[in-house]
Amino acid sequence: MYFLHTADWQIGMKAAAAGSAGAHVRAARLKAAGRVVAIEADFLLVAGDTFEDNAVDRALVQQTGEILARFRGPVYLLPGNHDPLQPGSVWEHPVWRQFPNLHVIREAAAISVPGGTLLAAPLTEVHSRHDPSACLAGIERPGGTVIGMSHGTVEGIDPDTEHHPIARDAWQRARIDYMALGHWHSTSLYPDADGVPRMAYCGTHETTRFGERDSGNVLRVRMENGLPKLERIATGGLSWLTIEEQILVEGDLARLRDRIAALPANALVRVDIRGLLHAAEAVVLRQIAEMSGRFLHFSLDSEALRPAAEDGWEEALPAGAVRLAARHLRERAASGDIVAAEALLELQALAAQVGA
Ligand SMILES: [Mn+2]
């Protein structure tokens, strides 16, 4: 048995965090889907949340079905919590009947697949505290290699989940050799006592947001004598890069600027700078802000930067009210007053402009 395990395509997601790059991010999910179906395997499992919700544009459903149909073997699609099997759902679209290799899981069943048997049951609700894989144990199945497919949160990830909790030993309870899971977007394996990965999240095929660890993959699984061997294949096209930097000494900010300048242009970049801004480097901070145009998406948060206390630049201001005001702002900034810290930065920039 030799198959691809993918999930959480979330086609139709809004990608609001990507701002004006949202359309690019949405298109990237379809492009990555094209890369998935081009990978060689005997069949393909999509373990839930193919779509962001049941209201996505019907043209997008058609397009997704056409991409899936390009896979050179049978494709088995599991309705997940984002796209549960319900009246009016995406699964009523005619595209699922248009191509003979597309199979939507519409009931708990044993399905004959190349090399063995697949057990799966569709999700029919957005929220549930019941284990969606529990019913697999009761399904009659022939001998040979048996795998399962389900969608939810493996015990231990989030104890308060309303998203279909799945037992740690769900594969044993279901009496199967491997459980293909969807829902969490990072690739994660669950080995048995002998270190054999018996359950796995393949992760989303294309990263959906900043901070998503180890996503943008599919798993290719080869079952040999009932033992799964997993191969992780990268399918993501976008880089979501988060840079969190603490600026301490003069020179740190310039090094950060050079690092950002070296990032690939098609990246989505989020920069979070905290620490001390030295007067001489105010210009470097501006240079970093001006890099926004070179990336697909760029956001800079430098609100946690504070003027460095040792600078004493305000002592070069003309004696009088302005210098006094700067000293007061410095004192208040030093005691954690964010508005004062920002005012001091602005005053500093103004002073630089007028050559004070
Ligand atoms: Mn889900």
Side-chain angles (χ1 to χ4, degrees), residues 8 10 47-49 80-83 123 126 151-153 163-164 182-185:
D8 300 281
Q10 313 284 156
D49 292 357
N81 66 304
H82 274 263
D83 51 10
L123 270 61
V126 172
H151 187 95
T153 299
H163 290 301
H164 310 269
H183 187 52
W184 286 81
H185 290 188

Side-chain angles (χ1 to χ4, degrees), residues 177-191:
D177 300 309
Y178 175 77
M179 180 81 86
L181 295 175
H183 187 52
W184 286 81
H185 290 188
S186 304
T187 306
S188 314
L189 312 185
Y190 293 88

Side-chain angles (χ1 to χ4, degrees), residues 2-321:
Y2 187 50
F3 62 96
L4 272 189
H5 168 193
T6 185
D8 300 281
W9 285 11
Q10 313 284 156
I11 301 293
M13 74 171 210
K14 308 263 181 312
S20 58
H24 196 288
V25 168
R26 289 189 290 276
R29 308 199 68 70
L30 289 171
K31 257 190 228 167
R35 286 192 283 275
V36 174
V37 300
I39 298 170
E40 197 178 310
D42 293 337
F43 62 96
L44 171 62
L45 301 181
V46 187
D49 292 357
T50 311
F51 298 97
E52 178 69 2
D53 54 58
N54 272 327
V56 301
D57 189 325
R58 270 22 194 181
L60 213 44
V61 177
Q62 176 70 30
Q63 204 179 348
T64 305
E66 287 171 5
I67 291 171
L68 282 161
R70 299 209 304 256
F71 183 74
R72 70 200 74 192
V75 176
Y76 303 93
L77 293 135
L78 186 74
N81 66 304
H82 274 263
D83 51 10
L85 189 68
Q86 289 174 344
S89 75
V90 288
W91 307 114
E92 291 183 358
H93 193 280
V95 75
W96 310 117
R97 294 187 300 273
Q98 186 182 341
F99 299 101
N101 68 326
L102 302 185
H103 306 278
V104 177
I105 309 291
R106 297 184 185 276
E107 55 182 9
I111 300 152
S112 175
V113 295
T117 305
L118 167 68
L119 307 184
L123 270 61
T124 57
E125 296 167 290
V126 172
H127 299 288
S128 167
R129 293 187 183 278
H130 297 292
D131 185 335
S133 71
C135 65
L136 302 184
I139 300 176
E140 298 261 344
R141 78 286 304 270
T145 299
V146 183
I147 60 168
M149 173 160 68
S150 196
H151 187 95
T153 299
V154 171
E155 211 178 355
I157 297 178
D158 175 7
D160 298 321
T161 191
E162 291 182 344
H163 290 301
H164 310 269
I166 291 176
R168 276 252 167 192
D169 59 351
W171 68 278
Q172 278 174 315
R173 296 181 190 205
R175 297 175 288 122
I176 59 175
D177 300 309
Y178 175 77
M179 180 81 86
L181 295 175
H183 187 52
W184 286 81
H185 290 188
S186 304
T187 306
S188 314
L189 312 185
Y190 293 88
D192 66 11
D194 298 322
V196 178
R198 292 298 188 167
M199 301 205 296
Y201 287 110
C202 50
T204 180
H205 71 315
E206 175 70 71
T207 302
T208 60
R209 60 178 65 91
F210 287 111
E212 210 168 69
R213 174 190 60 80
D214 201 7
S215 57
N217 306 307
V218 298
L219 291 172
R220 184 157 57 179
V221 185
R222 191 181 286 283
M223 302 296 299
E224 280 175 353
N225 306 317
L227 295 175
K229 283 199 179 123
L230 271 48
E231 178 189 357
R232 178 188 313 220
I233 302 173
T235 51
L238 297 177
S239 303
W240 297 68
L241 307 172
T242 304
I243 296 179
E244 291 172 345
E245 197 76 4
Q246 176 91 18
I247 304 298
L248 293 174
V249 298
E250 222 172 299
D252 282 355
L253 201 57
R255 274 188 288 278
L256 176 62
R257 173 201 57 203
D258 297 345
R259 221 175 106 203
I260 295 169
L263 296 175
N266 65 349
L268 295 100
V269 181
R270 189 174 70 184
V271 181
D272 186 354
I273 310 176
R274 52 191 60 247
L276 302 172
L277 180 62
H278 301 266
E281 290 197 313
V283 61
V284 181
L285 186 60
R286 265 202 304 283
Q287 288 167 347
I288 291 175
E290 283 163 6
M291 287 185 191
S292 66
R294 61 168 80 192
F295 300 109
L296 189 54
H297 170 76
F298 185 83
S299 72
L300 171 65
D301 184 353
S302 58
E303 280 188 11
L305 264 185
R306 298 288 165 262
E310 73 273 23
D311 283 346
W313 65 271
E314 66 272 23
E315 299 309 320
L317 289 169

